[in-house]
Structure formats: C-alpha cells, structure tokens
Amino acid sequence: MKITRIVNSVFTSNTFVLSDEGSQYCWLVDVGDIEPILEAVGENEVKGVFITHTHYDHIYGINKLVEHFPDCVVYTSEHGKEGLFSCKLNFSKYHADPLTFQGRHVEVLEDGDEVSLFSYVTLKAIATPGHDWSCMSYYTEDLIFTGDSYIPHIKVITSMPKSDKEKAKVSINKIVELIQTRDVYPGHNEIMFRV
C-alpha cells in the first residue's frame, strides 16, 4: 500500500491518501485541501474517507470531495456523525466557513470495527476520545493513523468544549501500546517511523 501525505493549508493538518498500484480506487484519512487530494488520486475513485475527528481542520474539504466522488463513504464515530452536521461542533462557524456535510453516505464505526481496504489490507477502528469526543484512530498490522489523539512529542490538547483529559489519558495508553510495532501517521506534523 502506498501512502501519500498532504499537508493542508488550515493549521497544517495532514490528509493521507491510501492507494494500491493494482487498484482503481483509493481511500483517505481526513480531508483538507481538495486540489492536492485530486492530484494525488489521479484517475482513481475515492472509495471512502476515515475521519479521525470532526474538527474543521480535518474535514473542511469534505463537501468538495463528495462533489467529485458522490459515492464516497465517510467513516466516523457516532459523535463524529453529529459533528459533520453541526458547524458549532466542528468549529467551522469560527472559520467564516460554516460547514455541514452535504454527502449521502456516512457509516458509523465503533471500537473494533474493521474495513477491508485492499485484498491484503484491513483497517481497524479504535475509539480514542479525549482531544474531542469524536476521536477515532485507525490501524493495520504495521501502521496507525492517530489524528490529534496522539501527535509524537506534543501534549494532547484537552481544553476544547468536547475534550476530556481523563479519557485522553486512557486513549494515549491504548495508542502507545499499538505504536510499539507500528509507524505513526498523526493529524499534524511528521510521520514517526519505527526504528
């Protein structure tokens, strides 16, 4: 599986494009600037996007994405689904760009749910609330996408309306256990590769 990292213009959040040489479709983790996403996707279809949490800087390109790919499935948590449809919960009302999701396909994932990406790759969801109540991380055998639940060498921000410091501690412990054998693809900053 090939992973392309896009550094977005809003708060330098990361979007990751997951593709396979033999496939005609790809997947995203979070969605920011649409132009570099379309460039990275090329002729492929975007089959789905996994949302790590529904703060504006991780979802602001979502409506443009589903305009281009109307069958794209958005995967998120139950609270993430609420955030997609609330400019207050996703903070877009503070960015002069009120955003409510305009797509047709949202699938709620719970802790432990799995989605097959390619014939040899399955992505597993793990609830990692704390930074926000909508936070989910996603992992395979050798990597994990942590969003803002875990950014290497950065303290998790838990000062927002739907943050929870105690839940963040529990989530960090879950993630730290998983990263022992996995590369870390965070919501901001560089990828942390295993040594």
Side-chain angles (χ1 to χ4, degrees), residues 89-108:
L89 289 175
N90 66 41
F91 301 141
S92 61
K93 73 181 232 172
Y94 307 108
H95 290 269
D97 180 24
L99 183 154
T100 55
F101 182 56
Q102 301 299 310
R104 300 188 306 250
H105 308 291
V106 178
E107 186 166 327
V108 171

Side-chain angles (χ1 to χ4, degrees), residues 13-185:
S13 63
N14 289 327
T15 292
F16 297 104
V17 180
L18 288 56
S19 58
D20 179 73
E21 192 175 322
S23 180
Q24 296 181 339
Y25 60 86
C26 59
W27 304 83
L28 303 180
V29 176
D30 290 340
V31 55
D33 298 334
I34 194 66
E35 292 80 10
I37 290 172
L38 294 176
E39 185 176 325
V41 165
E43 298 296 316
N44 292 333
E45 185 79 13
V46 176
K47 194 166 185 179
V49 54
F50 296 90
I51 303 298
T52 61
H53 62 297
T54 49
H55 286 170
Y56 178 75
D57 56 326
H58 294 267
I59 63 165
Y60 66 90
I62 198 158
N63 285 331
K64 289 182 181 175
L65 180 75
V66 297
E67 283 177 18
H68 287 277
F69 306 102
D71 294 327
C72 175
V73 178
V74 177
Y75 295 91
T76 187
S77 65
E78 186 65 49
H79 290 307
K81 184 176 180 180
E82 290 180 60
L84 287 173
F85 295 99
S86 168
C87 64
K88 182 178 178 184
L89 289 175
N90 66 41
F91 301 141
S92 61
K93 73 181 232 172
Y94 307 108
H95 290 269
D97 180 24
L99 183 154
T100 55
F101 182 56
Q102 301 299 310
R104 300 188 306 250
H105 308 291
V106 178
E107 186 166 327
V108 171
L109 294 177
E110 296 182 4
D111 198 83
D113 285 349
E114 297 182 357
V115 177
S116 177
L117 303 184
F118 306 107
S119 60
Y120 58 95
V121 180
T122 297
L123 200 65
K124 192 168 186 175
I126 181 171
T128 52
H131 172 69
D132 186 65
W133 66 345
S134 68
C135 287
M136 295 202 84
S137 297
Y138 305 95
Y139 65 97
T140 68
E141 287 184 6
D142 55 3
L143 59 86
I144 183 169
F145 300 97
T146 57
D148 291 1
S149 295
Y150 179 86
I151 301 172
H153 315 297
I154 303 287
K155 185 176 179 181
V156 176
I157 296 171
T158 56
S159 56
M160 299 185 195
K162 296 297 183 181
S163 296
D164 186 311
K165 190 178 288 189
E166 294 308 311
K167 287 182 179 177
K169 289 177 186 175
V170 173
S171 294
I172 289 169
N173 288 337
K174 286 185 194 176
I175 292 169
V176 165
E177 188 174 322
L178 287 168
I179 67 173
Q180 302 306 311
T181 56
R182 292 172 174 85
D183 297 332
V184 179
Y185 291 76

